[in-house]
Amino acid sequence: GAAGYAPAPSPGPTMMTSNSFSDRRIIEVLAAPEKTHRRLVRTARRVPEVLLDGGEHAVASSAELYGSLALDMGMQAVPAWKQDSEDWASYYVNGRSDVDFVVDMQSRVKPSVIADRLLSKGTWRLVGQVQVHKFASTQLTLLGHFDDAESDDEAAAAAPHVEEPQQQLKDEATAADGSTAEADERKGAEGEAEDKEAAKEAAAAATREVYLDITCIENPTHFKRFKKRQEAFRQVFSEARSGVEGQFGAQGALAFDAYIHLLKAFAAKVPGNALTGFQATCIGLFTLQIGHFRLKPTHSIALSFFEGFLRFCLTFYGDGPTSWSFNYRQFAIDLSMGGRWLPRMSTNWRSELYFMHAEEQMKTRPDERVNVAHSLDPNRVCLEAYALLQRAFTGEHHPGMLFGAPAAAVPCPVPQQ
């Protein structure tokens, strides 16, 4: 069963004020700029219109948003756990976020038809396509924007906030502008001005681009299961936020949001896609569920949560000596029922993480269950957690391994420099 949230002394006014500033600053630094967020929201609102358009032939039975943007206050359904009084960024998207949709395909309609419909409605290009036969799904990745993405003024205003890979496109456009202007110097000021204007337009176009991931599912049963798993995640997410807010008030809500951004930023720094943002978020929710953190006067609440997450990764995904009995080789993580441990289900995976209650409700066979941690590399996650703990959470009052391992132990092999 879950251990619940760790009991904590009431922070004093000074701690509350400094923590509030610190957690607010985390969100300011890591959340996507408002212009980027609005661009993602606009794109997300257009996708169902394009795919389900009654004026044309509808190419899908339904198209539903999921991922970071689906947790968003900017979408039509405002989650009950988001309050109007909160004065920090109300979304969880960052500079790397894309727009994720799952599409229930109409019978005899192929994913290529979905791609063609989207490609015909804007400046899009297909940059990736992956089939997963086991779940009757095809994931299409497009980069670009719809024709009515935003006004030129808005695009130009958004230019300073461009993230990779759009920044590379902008750099190329700027380089093209420089070389063209140099070549045309003889043609006079008028020609040069025209070239600069064209380069500006190219740069503005680059800032409008977003990644759009469409998961096309051709089997209604698999589509329903996909939706059920997403609903299970959203429920765990909202319950965790409500629990933190219940314990710490508005300060807790702010800390939770900052914590989610920290988890995603950590995942982005783990090389080789060994930890996805979704995987990090799920593990981070589990560490909150089981109370795997210690509040410290030297840390904001979000940083206390985050240190607890890093120490969990260090011990759970490590192979060194530890007095803590929970390790990925023997135990699977289950986010159901308030967070619980399960015995390992399959030796096919290096580690396992499930929404098992949802799987049981859907009566999925063991081989059809979705292991959220299917691609996670335990050793790499352990190593990156150790490295960040050494950089950011050491010092005079460093508590060592609060949750099992001796302070000096390094439970994952560290490559020699």
Side-chain angles (χ1 to χ4, degrees):
Y5 294 94
S10 289
T14 305
M15 177 183 173
M16 291 287 281
T17 305
S18 61
N19 285 350
S20 175
F21 173 77
S22 177
D23 288 348
R24 195 177 301 273
R25 182 68 184 140
I26 288 168
I27 294 174
E28 286 172 3
V29 170
L30 296 179
E34 181 58 39
K35 292 277 185 187
T36 303
H37 171 244
R38 278 206 300 268
R39 193 158 56 245
L40 293 171
V41 169
R42 266 194 297 271
T43 303
R45 286 183 171 149
R46 284 286 286 131
V47 170
E49 294 171 7
V50 168
L51 298 182
L52 309 177
D53 187 356
E56 299 184 59
H57 171 60
V59 294
S61 300
S62 70
E64 302 200 18
L65 182 71
Y66 71 100
S68 297
L69 205 58
L71 301 167
D72 204 338
M73 199 171 179
M75 302 312 292
Q76 291 91 332
V78 178
W81 38 269
K82 273 288 191 188
Q83 304 299 319
D84 291 336
S85 59
E86 295 174 0
D87 60 348
W88 57 91
S90 66
Y91 47 82
Y92 300 100
V93 297
N94 59 29
R96 301 173 193 84
S97 294
D98 51 17
V99 179
D100 299 296
F101 269 86
V102 58
V103 172
D104 185 13
M105 305 289 288
Q106 292 197 336
S107 60
R108 295 186 295 279
V109 173
K110 294 299 173 191
S112 58
V113 176
I114 298 286
D116 290 343
R117 173 66 64 88
L118 291 165
L119 291 168
S120 72
K121 296 295 181 181
T123 309
W124 294 100
R125 55 193 182 277
L126 187 65
V127 294
Q129 184 168 329
V130 179
Q131 276 190 297
V132 183
H133 295 290
K134 180 178 176 181
F135 299 115
S137 71
T138 302
Q139 187 177 59
L140 308 170
T141 302
L142 294 89
L143 176 62
H145 60 86
F146 288 111
D147 287 331
D148 54 352
E150 57 190 338
S151 71
D152 290 338
D153 289 342
E154 281 188 294
H161 304 303
V162 181
E163 303 286 344
E164 292 288 356
Q166 290 92 321
Q167 183 65 51
Q168 183 180 350
L169 293 169
K170 185 182 175 187
D171 290 344
E172 289 171 2
T174 306
D177 172 43
S179 61
T180 306
E182 189 175 37
D184 290 346
E185 197 170 0
R186 300 184 307 275
K187 298 179 182 177
E190 187 177 338
E192 187 174 318
E194 285 176 4
D195 291 330
K196 285 185 176 177
E197 193 59 37
K200 268 203 234 171
E201 286 176 15
T207 69
R208 288 200 295 269
E209 291 194 324
V210 300
Y211 278 98
L212 176 58
D213 277 341
I214 307 285
T215 299
C216 304
I217 301 183
E218 299 179 64
N219 179 306
T221 300
H222 284 302
F223 177 78
K224 286 174 188 168
R225 289 176 180 175
F226 187 102
K227 274 188 62 180
K228 183 77 172 174
R229 292 174 185 120
Q230 288 299 319
E231 287 164 9
F233 166 72
R234 284 195 291 271
Q235 182 179 350
V236 170
F237 191 94
S238 62
E239 285 175 358
R241 193 180 194 272
S242 296
V244 173
E245 188 173 19
Q247 187 176 359
F248 301 104
Q251 182 71 29
L254 173 66
F256 179 88
D257 290 356
Y259 175 55
I260 298 300
H261 282 291
L262 286 169
L263 294 171
K264 294 175 70 173
F266 173 71
K269 296 296 183 187
V270 176
N273 202 35
L275 179 70
T276 68
F278 183 62
Q279 289 166 346
T281 300
C282 287
I283 296 165
L285 292 173
F286 182 70
T287 61
L288 289 185
Q289 286 179 322
I290 64 173
H292 198 284
F293 60 88
R294 298 281 191 274
L295 290 181
K296 299 179 186 174
T298 53
H299 292 0
S300 71
I301 299 173
L303 285 173
S304 295
F305 291 165
F306 187 53
E307 183 179 6
F309 161 82
L310 291 174
R311 295 194 179 284
F312 177 91
C313 291
L314 184 62
T315 310
F316 182 71
Y317 292 113
D319 287 318
T322 175
S323 59
W324 205 46
S325 56
F326 299 103
N327 183 268
Y328 75 99
R329 294 188 184 280
Q330 289 83 40
F331 288 91
I333 293 170
D334 180 19
L335 283 149
S336 308
M337 319 301 285
R340 58 185 178 173
W341 299 105
L342 295 175
R344 285 295 304 262
M345 304 285 161
S346 169
T347 55
N348 293 336
W349 310 112
R350 286 174 291 189
S351 68
E352 294 175 282
L353 187 155
Y354 297 98
F355 293 93
M356 192 56 74
H357 184 60
E359 300 291 351
E360 289 167 348
Q361 282 185 319
M362 295 185 292
K363 297 182 170 58
T364 52
R365 297 194 316 263
D367 65 308
E368 290 181 325
R369 293 170 181 161
V370 167
N371 171 23
V372 173
H374 65 95
S375 61
L376 186 149
D377 180 342
N379 182 252
R380 175 52 65 183
V381 171
C382 172
L383 190 60
E384 294 297 322
Y386 174 76
L388 185 52
L389 281 165
Q390 290 297 104
R391 287 199 307 273
F393 292 98
T394 55
E396 183 184 351
H397 303 293
H398 179 52
M401 277 307 303
L402 288 171
F403 305 102
V410 181
C412 41
V414 179
Q416 298 300 313
Q417 296 299 321

